[in-house]
Amino acid sequence: EDQVTQSPEALRLQEGESSSLNCSYTVSGLRGLFWYRQDPGKGPEFLFTLYSAGEEKEKERLKATLTKKESFLHITAPKPEDSATYLCAVQAGGSQGNLIFGKGTKLSVKP
Amino acid sequence: NAGVTQTPKFQVLKTGQSMTLQCAQDMNHNSMYWYRQDPGMGLRLIYYSASEGTTDKGEVPNGYNVSRLNKREFSLRLESAAPSQTSVYFCASKSMTTRDEQFFGPGTRLTVL
């Protein structure tokens, strides 16, 4: 069964304290792994797509990496505005673009 | 471009009432999706439409129906609402390329009493 597990469920950081969020997955034939950011009361906002093991993508203070079993979202020197819930999703081979989501990691960055 | 729009933003229903959630996208995307998001459960796919004229069940389709009205619009109908359908509903769309990301609307917060 295709499955996505994110850890930790919640993470509290001080401003400037770097850390990583984990997304482990089991999927039959990974076609893509997606990271989204979700602010309270809003829809998920796309951040990155990773397609193959070893791939990395960066955007401002965020860097996403992918292995054959998991993905990491590294946050370098976070700011309070980085506070949000970060969602990971996978698209399995043979699917019609359908995504399987993890439950998310709620990140709080204190000044 | 407005992207993906959803109406209404909030709705309160009584058990047994019916309603339709509306979704429209102006990005000329072929595929559209309906998800529900519940605390501690993550986003779960209800129905999707891979292209105009087709619809398919997702992970949690029971109690819902959908209509792909045209390429832009994809509606979700609750025929007889139940308290278990209290949730936040998101519509999403993506282009034909199977690896492209999905773009989400702002959501509809539905409460069934």
Side-chain angles (χ1 to χ4, degrees), chain A:
Chain A
E1 179 184 354
D2 299 333
Q3 192 171 352
V4 177
T5 303
Q6 292 187 246
S7 61
E9 291 186 10
L11 181 62
R12 292 187 176 187
L13 299 174
Q14 289 295 126
E15 184 173 3
E17 179 186 3
S18 301
S19 188
S20 297
L21 282 56
N22 178 262
C23 171
S24 60
Y25 63 91
T26 54
V27 64
S28 49
L30 179 72
R31 292 184 64 86
L33 185 141
F34 302 80
W35 282 99
Y36 285 85
R37 169 190 171 128
Q38 186 174 24
D39 293 302
K42 297 193 176 181
E45 174 187 349
F46 171 74
L47 293 173
F48 304 109
T49 308
L50 301 168
Y51 294 116
S52 57
E55 189 174 1
E56 299 182 350
K57 288 192 177 175
E58 290 187 66
K59 180 180 180 180
E60 297 181 356
R61 295 176 293 282
L62 300 177
K63 179 181 178 180
T65 63
L66 180 64
T67 72
K68 289 186 177 180
K69 293 184 178 181
E70 58 192 349
S71 176
F72 292 94
L73 185 65
H74 307 278
I75 303 175
T76 302
K79 298 182 177 181
E81 53 262 41
D82 294 322
S83 297
T85 296
Y86 291 85
L87 305 174
C88 173
V90 297
Q91 181 180 340
S95 71
Q96 299 188 56
N98 299 348
L99 297 180
I100 301 164
F101 280 85
K103 297 179 181 180
T105 294
K106 184 175 182 179
L107 174 66
S108 299
V109 182
K110 302 300 181 184

Side-chain angles (χ1 to χ4, degrees), chain A residues 30-32 34 36 38 41-46 48-49 51 87 91 95-104, chain B residues 31 33 35 37 40-45 48 50 56-57 90 94 98-107 109:
Chain A
L30 179 72
R31 292 184 64 86
F34 302 80
Y36 285 85
Q38 186 174 24
K42 297 193 176 181
E45 174 187 349
F46 171 74
F48 304 109
T49 308
Y51 294 116
L87 305 174
Q91 181 180 340
S95 71
Q96 299 188 56
N98 299 348
L99 297 180
I100 301 164
F101 280 85
K103 297 179 181 180
Chain B
S31 302
Y33 306 82
Y35 293 88
Q37 187 175 41
M41 295 294 293
L43 282 155
R44 292 182 293 169
L45 183 65
Y48 66 98
D56 285 289
K57 296 178 180 179
F90 290 102
K94 79 182 224 19
T98 57
R99 286 182 164 184
D100 284 353
E101 63 272 14
Q102 294 183 17
F103 292 88
F104 284 80
R109 185 174 295 273

Side-chain angles (χ1 to χ4, degrees), chain B residues 1-54:
Chain B
N1 288 348
V4 179
T5 57
Q6 294 183 237
T7 55
K9 293 187 187 305
F10 301 94
Q11 183 71 49
V12 178
L13 295 178
K14 295 181 180 179
T15 297
Q17 288 184 319
S18 62
M19 80 160 295
T20 299
L21 282 64
Q22 306 287 353
C23 173
Q25 52 90 11
D26 62 1
M27 296 175 283
N28 200 35
H29 285 171
N30 289 288
S31 302
M32 298 185 73
Y33 306 82
W34 276 106
Y35 293 88
R36 60 178 290 173
Q37 187 175 41
D38 302 292
M41 295 294 293
L43 282 155
R44 292 182 293 169
L45 183 65
I46 305 171
Y47 269 94
Y48 66 98
S49 171
S51 61
E52 188 178 357
T54 69

